[in-house]
């Protein structure tokens, strides 16, 4: 007849054990959650767009976006890439409005908002050109792990050597993958559409 008493004593122990287990599991889940500062490239930036509006990483929240670093005086890679991104934006149709595409300059000395505005008039209007002071641009380069170096030319002019990777970021600003432009425009558009 002592059985019910044993059970009633046992119940609080089980409850305490389960409560402890839940605490431990939530702590593990908390630590294992996708980090707010991702392991991949990306992170905070504070720049201005081609219309002099200030833009930060926080403004990117809620839409997947592409990020490409370059400069307006670039002879080939930048215009080609921006053209390809423009084609993807066109292929997305109305869905393009639910994405973003950033062109961040590695050459803020020459790429003022006005210079970016003029340059980007050649491409899809979804493209936003970002610039800022040297420190702000350097912070963005660092966040995205982009290499950029000034290469002086004989005539006193200069060119920029730079990483030419297009980053695909998700709605939360987390790095997804390098965006593959060596596929058909439709396939690239489908890849981006997959993160809407
Ligand atoms: Cu370039």
């Amino acid at each position: 007849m002592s059985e019910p008493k044993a059970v009633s004593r046992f119940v609080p122990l089980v409850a305490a054990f389960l409560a402890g287990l839940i605490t431990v599991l939530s702590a593990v889940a908390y630590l294992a959650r996708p980090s707010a500062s991702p392991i991949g490239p990306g992170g905070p930036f504070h720049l201005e767009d081609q219309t002099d509006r200030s833009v930060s990483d926080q403004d990117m929240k809620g839409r997947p976006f592409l990020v490409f670093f370059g400069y307006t005086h670039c002879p080939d890679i930048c215009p080609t890439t921006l053209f390809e991104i423009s084609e993807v934006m066109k292929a997305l149709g109305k869905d393009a409005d639910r994405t973003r595409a950033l062109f961040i300059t590695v050459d803020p000395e020459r790429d003022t908002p006005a210079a970016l505005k003029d340059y980007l008039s050649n491409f899809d209007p979804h493209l936003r050109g970002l610039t800022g002071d040297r420190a702000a641009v350097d912070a963005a380069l660092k966040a995205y792990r982009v290499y950029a170096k000034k290469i002086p030319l004989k005539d006193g002019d200069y060119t920029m050597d730079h990483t030419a990777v297009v980053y695909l970021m998700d709605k939360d600003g987390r790095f997804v993958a390098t965006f593959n432009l060596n596929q058909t425009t439709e396939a690239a558009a489908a890849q981006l559409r997959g993160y809407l």
Side-chain angles (χ1 to χ4, degrees):
M1 284 297 144
S2 65
E3 204 184 317
K5 207 175 180 186
V7 168
S8 63
R9 231 183 251 161
F10 188 57
V11 167
L13 277 178
V14 170
F17 173 76
L18 288 177
L21 187 65
I22 288 164
T23 308
V24 169
L25 288 178
S26 3
V28 169
Y30 178 78
L31 291 172
R33 79 202 188 287
S35 171
S37 53
I39 292 164
F45 61 80
H46 299 274
L47 298 163
E48 290 126 57
D49 73 4
Q50 73 269 34
T51 63
D52 295 307
R53 234 183 309 169
S54 66
V55 181
S56 81
D57 53 297
Q58 292 302 311
D59 301 316
M60 296 301 118
K61 293 259 156 89
R63 297 187 202 173
F65 60 101
L66 301 177
V67 188
F68 177 64
F69 287 79
Y71 67 114
T72 64
H73 286 67
C74 184
D76 44 36
I77 295 177
C78 290
T80 304
T81 305
L82 293 174
F83 174 76
E84 287 169 348
I85 292 174
S86 296
E87 292 295 293
V88 171
M89 288 290 144
K90 255 179 246 161
L92 278 170
K94 275 191 174 168
D95 283 342
D97 295 340
R98 299 168 59 203
T99 70
R100 290 190 170 95
L102 304 179
F103 174 58
I104 305 181
T105 186
V106 297
D107 184 15
E109 285 79 13
R110 289 187 293 198
D111 291 343
T112 58
L116 285 170
K117 188 177 182 183
D118 184 45
Y119 184 67
L120 289 175
S121 67
N122 298 299
F123 302 99
D124 185 272
H126 290 93
L127 273 160
R128 271 172 108 178
L130 303 187
T131 187
D133 60 32
R134 188 74 254 177
V137 168
D138 282 346
L141 293 175
K142 199 176 167 207
Y144 279 87
R145 300 179 195 168
V146 167
Y147 158 87
K149 190 171 185 257
K150 205 180 253 192
I151 309 290
L153 299 173
K154 276 183 200 152
D155 57 8
D157 209 357
Y158 65 92
T159 176
M160 299 293 296
D161 199 7
H162 69 95
T163 305
V165 171
V166 181
Y167 299 98
L168 170 57
M169 313 298 288
D170 73 9
K171 286 179 188 178
D172 298 316
R174 291 194 199 104
F175 173 74
V176 174
T178 56
F179 192 60
N180 181 10
L181 287 167
N182 294 318
Q183 55 186 338
T184 63
T185 303
E186 288 68 29
Q191 189 188 359
L192 183 49
R193 200 175 259 132
Y195 292 91
L196 287 175

